[in-house]
Amino acid sequence: MKKHLRLLAAQLFAAALVITVFSSPASADTPASDAQLAAEWQTAWDTQKFYDTTPPAAGSGRSRAQSSISITINAPVTKVFAAYSNINNHVGMHSFLKRVVTHKDWFKNGKRHINFTAVEEIPYEGAIVTSNTHAQQRIHADGLYYETDTWSLPGVVTHQKIVFTKLIGGKTKVTEYLTFDADTSLIDFVVANGVASHEVTQAGLKQAIESGSI
């Protein structure tokens, strides 16, 4: 199953590059510095307002779609929450995610806020294309859930809520509620691509948590 999900995600990302390759300026040969990524993050936050959860307006040419995926992990909820909510543990769970650059990490009103950029390196026709996803994560430790808003080319916004539920037998159910905003012509593809990517990451985190490697 995990192998199938990785293959599906790889195929979807390769197709996505047909759309984005000419609009993505970065290359893995010349990786952006942390300072450059921080500047890109701030520009995206200020201009794209990816924190705004208002649905796209009618006639805007953009659409919204929602999905959810769940997985059961054979480990206690406190362990799963700590490991799963640490975005650095997601590196290596997906073959394209190479690093996470944290720009700011602080507490406000009992919630931990983290501004970061996830850097993916995606093979395409013999070259490596770098895709930067700018994000803010808000961790609600008392409520055992976290939220993440992201923006990436070509103008894809996601709003995520990941909820952790204690099950009998020392197991934990993790449910990801995913909201995607994108150009109407791309929304179906974005949903398929995004859900497949999250399923791959879920499977990788499950294996790592259950094995004790994270």
Side-chain angles (χ1 to χ4, degrees), residues 43-83:
T43 297
W45 182 264
D46 294 340
T47 62
Q48 305 301 323
K49 297 180 174 31
F50 57 88
Y51 52 83
D52 187 355
T53 59
T54 304
S60 66
R62 291 177 63 80
S63 296
R64 168 168 290 184
Q66 296 176 310
S67 185
S68 66
I69 56 175
S70 296
I71 198 165
T72 297
I73 300 176
N74 188 18
V77 67
T78 52
K79 177 181 178 180
V80 173
F81 180 77

Side-chain angles (χ1 to χ4, degrees), residues 9-27:
Q11 291 171 336
L12 288 167
F13 271 113
L17 287 171
V18 174
I19 300 169
T20 63
V21 68
F22 295 109
S23 59
S24 180
S27 165

